Amino acid sequence: MIQAASERKGIILAGGTGSRLYPITLGVSKQLLPVYDKPMVYYPLSVLMLARIREIAVITTAEDRGAFQRLLGDGSQWGVRFTYIVQPKPEGLAQAYVLAEDFLEGAGSAMVLGDNIFFGHGFLELLSVADARRTGATVFGYRVADPERYGVVAFDHAGKAAGIVEKPAQPPSDFAVTGLYFLDGSAPSRARDVRPSSRGELEITTLLESYLQDGLLTVEKMGRGYAWLDTGTHASLLDAGNFVRTLEERQGLQSGSPDEIAFSNHWIDSQQLAHRAAMFGKNAYGGYLDRLLEQA
């Protein structure tokens, strides 16, 4: 059995229909679409690996499970282990904790939405702070220009979270809750108590409210210098690809590379990385992995 560097387990929620991206998602899962030079799911996977999480559940549909398994395998190429969980029907983000209850076995979790991309100096430190909290929930607030599209945090006069409102007509702040959630082992039992909203979904905001009512919710603000992108529309998918391309071409560094993170974490050795580099030898990604080996 893999010995995890973090006691926490990871969840990538990669289900749903991707209807906002029709017709391109009629034949392929949204989270398998390319974001510039890598599959979309590589980016949320990288977040969990940066948090040193090695036991990871991928929640997806019965139709897409085989495609994810072909892409990701069992995880051994990166020193992690994947468990695949079928989502029979998309019924809201909080449903993920009910589906993953057996996988979690009472452990705390970090869940990331399969269409979210995070980037920024200091992000690793934010992850470490959240992972260190063994009790309660930690989420991340990100200032947006259109908060009415998101779950929004309301703050009290002391700057502490006082509430979370889903897609409010009159947002109480400009800080949206991102698609990254660090929750303790009580998340599945709390999720089972969540009742469907007027939209017929088990809302993640309702689950987070239960932590808030118990005084167990922490909101970490992502300030200037961080990027949070979701890729749920045609325009945002294109924007994300251009963002990643600009970063990589200007800096010569990869973002969202499970191979680089696994090597940096010492979960794979030089020989394993060389094998991966050879797989991609004819493109820039393979060349990047070769340069990592040379620098090592």
Side-chain angles (χ1 to χ4, degrees):
M1 179 177 179
I2 291 174
Q3 294 300 310
S6 169
E7 297 175 6
R8 200 178 295 270
K9 295 185 178 183
I11 301 170
I12 300 174
L13 184 54
T17 61
S19 58
R20 289 188 297 165
L21 287 172
Y22 281 177
I24 57 176
T25 49
L26 285 172
V28 63
S29 168
K30 170 176 64 175
Q31 293 83 7
L32 295 174
L33 295 175
V35 176
Y36 186 48
D37 58 351
K38 292 177 290 296
M40 186 186 298
V41 71
Y42 270 32
Y43 298 89
L45 168 60
S46 295
V47 170
L48 298 180
M49 292 175 66
L50 282 172
R52 303 189 66 83
I53 292 171
R54 303 181 72 175
E55 295 274 358
I56 300 170
V58 179
I59 299 179
T60 188
T61 65
E63 294 79 9
D64 293 323
R65 177 177 177 172
F68 279 99
Q69 288 178 311
R70 286 192 296 275
L71 173 67
L72 301 175
D74 63 4
S76 58
Q77 71 275 24
W78 296 312
V80 303
R81 183 165 64 187
F82 294 120
T83 296
Y84 295 92
I85 299 175
V86 170
Q87 181 188 46
K89 179 182 177 183
E91 296 181 334
L93 302 187
Q95 179 195 28
Y97 296 97
V98 178
L99 296 174
E101 184 169 16
D102 289 343
F103 162 76
L104 293 175
E105 297 180 314
S109 61
M111 182 173 80
V112 59
L113 303 187
D115 61 356
N116 275 215
I117 297 174
F118 296 87
F119 182 84
H121 178 70
F123 184 52
L124 184 58
E125 288 72 19
L126 273 182
L127 294 176
S128 297
V129 168
D131 183 56
R133 295 191 182 103
R134 295 305 179 190
T135 303
T138 301
V139 296
F140 301 87
Y142 187 88
R143 189 186 296 276
V144 295
D146 49 354
E148 63 277 359
R149 294 180 51 228
Y150 304 94
V152 179
V153 183
F155 296 98
D156 61 20
H157 295 297
K160 293 186 177 181
I164 299 178
V165 188
E166 183 68 28
K167 296 180 173 63
Q170 295 181 323
S173 79
D174 294 331
F175 281 91
V177 178
T178 73
L180 177 59
Y181 315 90
F182 281 72
L183 306 188
D184 66 16
S186 69
S189 62
R190 291 174 184 269
R192 285 199 306 272
D193 291 336
V194 173
R195 303 274 71 85
S197 67
S198 58
R199 302 192 304 164
E201 295 193 356
L202 304 179
E203 305 286 0
I204 191 73
T205 48
T206 306
L207 174 57
L208 296 176
E209 279 281 356
S210 76
Y211 281 98
L212 181 64
Q213 291 168 8
D214 291 340
L216 295 173
L217 178 68
T218 301
V219 178
E220 294 283 356
K221 291 183 179 179
M222 291 178 149
R224 293 174 181 263
Y226 288 95
W228 169 50
L229 308 171
D230 101 31
T231 51
T233 67
H234 299 103
S236 61
L237 179 62
L238 179 61
D239 289 343
N242 286 331
F243 177 82
V244 171
R245 178 186 177 186
T246 300
L247 285 174
E248 294 183 2
E249 292 192 352
R250 294 291 290 272
Q251 294 190 312
L253 299 173
Q254 281 283 330
S255 61
S257 170
D259 298 282
E260 180 177 12
I261 298 168
F263 188 59
S264 297
N265 287 349
H266 304 291
W267 296 348
I268 61 173
D269 59 25
S270 296
Q271 184 176 0
Q272 290 169 296
L273 185 63
H275 175 73
R276 294 287 294 174
M279 286 180 59
F280 309 112
K282 295 183 178 180
N283 64 25
Y285 187 65
Y288 181 79
L289 299 183
D290 277 329
R291 288 194 297 276
L292 290 180
L293 286 167
E294 292 171 3
Q295 294 165 6

